[in-house]
Amino acid sequence: MNTKMIITGTEGLTKEDFNSIRDIFKGGGLVAFPTETVYGLGADALNKDASEKIYSAKGRPSDNPLIVHIAKFEDLYAITKEVPDIALQMAKAFWPGPLTMIFRKNEKVPYSTTGGLDTVAVRMPDHKTALAVIEAAGGYVAAPSANTSGRPSPTLAKHVYEDMNGKIDAIIDGGEVGIGLESTILDLTGEIPMILRPGYITKKMIEAVIGPIAIDRAITDAADFKGKPKAPGMKYKHYAPKASLVIVEGNKEAVADRINLLTMEKQALGFGTGIICAEETQSLYGNGIIKCIGTRNKEETIARNLYAVLREFDELKVDYIYSESFYTPNMGNAIMNRLLKAAGHQVITVE
Ligand code: TXA
Ligand code: MG
């Protein structure tokens, strides 16, 4: 398949591009597009055959449900059985934005979109092009992150191109995304609202609007939890770099000493090594490929660069990567959720 590249400027989609995207969706095709979190791989969410194609393009397990993206709040009513009051409060506070909410679905939403579940995840992205894409599709776009299953989510159109060229109809290049980590997922179908995936919108921000909520134990006890995460996608070994990734945490000098030691040991054995660190501590490292991921006092820089750095290390073919930890004040939980997964929970604590 020939994948068409569409580049948007500050004006967003041209009329001509809008029409060609509308035609692709009408024909049941797939279009990758930017959002404020990560790039999404979109299909008409109400077209069973179209959303099925997403699974094969990504190599995604068929029990892993997709998020339905909408552009207008009232469209939520057409695909759900009930919209609880707290959803209204949450939408008012955070939509459009990096928040996905889970509802009971109605018969309009095919099971291929929800991975066989009777619930549906819905999000209204805060991104001009994404909203135009949703309009072009007729209001409902099923879109997982636009990466091959198991690779880091794309934060640049070139990441989408690497994974999807030849497999989908079009890629819309809208430049680098703003946030760089996927949306916070909040389940509203249980007794108490529950975070199933941490993101830019934190527990504290949500509780300021709707009061106490829970976090899925699959996130809080991730290293030891043996049960089933409530978001099926959270059980897969996501974001796994090709190299073995180990996180070293503790005071910054001790962390640097240990990482330098580990790096030298591996290099002596002939392995390629990489280091992921913050700008503040970069000068403490001297060996192997050192990648500065961002600045600790601007945590959004760390969130935005994480996936790109993991992809860069894949290209560099290093065997071992050592990373500092990044428990920053707001997005720290989301950043570390992804980084710990990428590391398969290999953590060394030093004094
Ligand atoms: O920021 C985002 O959410 C991005 C952009 C493109 O919007 N999308 C995204 O989609 O991250 P994806 O497919 O990579 O992750 C969706 C997650 C998966 O872990 C999936 O299991 C979970 O949401 N999910 C979807 N529907 C669900 C449902 N009905 N119940 C529980 N979990 C659900
Ligand atoms: Mg994903």
Side-chain angles (χ1 to χ4, degrees):
M1 180 188 292
N2 193 5
T3 302
K4 180 177 171 174
M5 291 299 296
I6 298 171
I7 298 173
T8 60
T10 44
E11 297 301 304
L13 288 177
T14 62
K15 188 79 201 142
E16 200 187 333
D17 289 337
F18 181 92
N19 289 341
S20 87
I21 290 163
R22 189 192 52 202
D23 294 343
I24 293 171
F25 281 129
K26 264 197 190 139
L30 305 183
V31 179
F33 60 98
T35 81
E36 80 281 35
T37 57
V38 298
Y39 274 78
L41 175 56
D44 177 353
L46 306 187
N47 177 337
K48 174 179 166 291
D49 300 331
S51 60
E52 263 167 14
K53 283 188 197 159
I54 289 179
Y55 293 86
S56 47
K58 276 181 64 91
R60 182 178 175 107
S62 60
D63 68 344
N64 190 2
L66 309 173
I67 295 174
V68 177
H69 295 67
I70 59 172
K72 295 196 295 279
F73 182 77
E74 22 340 334
D75 289 347
L76 182 60
Y77 293 95
I79 55 169
T80 53
K81 276 202 172 133
E82 56 185 339
V83 177
D85 284 346
I86 44 172
L88 295 173
Q89 291 168 267
M90 287 294 293
K92 209 166 162 213
F94 300 114
W95 273 3
L99 170 77
T100 295
M101 291 189 277
I102 297 180
F103 302 88
R104 296 191 195 291
K105 81 169 194 77
N106 71 15
E107 67 296 337
K108 275 185 96 173
V109 187
Y111 282 113
S112 53
T113 294
T114 66
L117 298 176
D118 287 315
T119 54
V120 60
V122 187
R123 168 165 122 80
M124 190 193 293
D126 185 13
H127 194 288
K128 193 174 166 184
T129 302
L131 294 169
V133 166
I134 297 164
E135 196 193 324
Y140 303 93
V141 172
S145 49
N147 51 287
T148 299
S149 224
R151 295 212 74 201
S153 297
T155 54
L156 289 165
K158 83 165 186 174
H159 299 154
V160 182
Y161 183 86
E162 284 164 16
D163 288 8
M164 294 296 154
N165 184 38
K167 296 182 183 166
I168 64 176
D169 298 276
I171 298 172
I172 305 173
D173 183 349
E176 191 180 29
V177 299
I179 294 176
L181 296 179
E182 307 85 345
S183 60
T184 304
I185 301 180
L186 184 69
D187 186 1
L188 299 178
T189 63
E191 260 169 39
I192 173 161
M194 186 184 282
I195 292 182
L196 307 189
R197 179 174 73 184
Y200 178 86
I201 312 257
T202 61
K203 180 169 188 269
K204 204 168 149 197
M205 288 158 79
I206 297 172
E207 290 186 332
V209 179
I210 58 170
I213 60 165
I215 304 188
D216 190 0
R217 278 195 50 217
I219 299 167
T220 48
D221 305 340
D224 307 313
F225 186 70
K226 300 279 182 289
K228 221 165 130 191
K230 295 198 163 51
M234 299 293 277
K235 73 173 175 270
Y236 298 105
K237 195 181 172 211
H238 264 189
Y239 328 120
K242 290 177 185 154
S244 161
L245 170 63
V246 177
I247 300 168
V248 183
E249 55 187 37
N251 96 52
K252 62 181 183 223
E253 282 81 19
V255 166
D257 286 349
R258 180 64 68 90
I259 289 182
N260 284 328
L261 181 69
L262 289 164
T263 298
M264 283 190 299
E265 281 173 7
K266 293 298 182 202
Q267 286 185 342
L269 296 170
F271 293 114
T273 62
I275 296 173
I276 301 176
C277 64
E279 203 172 289
E280 290 80 359
T281 39
Q282 194 170 3
S283 63
L284 301 178
Y285 300 99
N287 277 300
I289 302 167
I290 302 162
K291 292 220 175 257
C292 165
I293 186 177
T295 310
R296 285 186 190 274
N297 51 32
K298 263 202 183 159
E299 54 178 321
E300 60 276 18
T301 57
I302 296 174
R304 194 183 303 131
N305 289 325
L306 175 62
Y307 289 143
V309 164
L310 293 177
R311 277 183 184 257
E312 285 166 22
F313 272 127
D314 277 350
E315 273 164 37
L316 291 165
K317 301 195 176 25
V318 297
D319 305 291
Y320 291 89
I321 306 169
Y322 299 101
S323 177
E324 296 178 351
S325 61
F326 305 98
Y327 285 99
T328 57
N330 302 309
M331 290 186 80
N333 281 337
I335 294 167
M336 289 308 294
N337 169 263
R338 307 326 191 256
L339 189 61
L340 281 161
K341 269 192 169 187
H345 294 275
Q346 298 187 86
V347 180
I348 299 174
T349 308
V350 290
E351 293 292 317

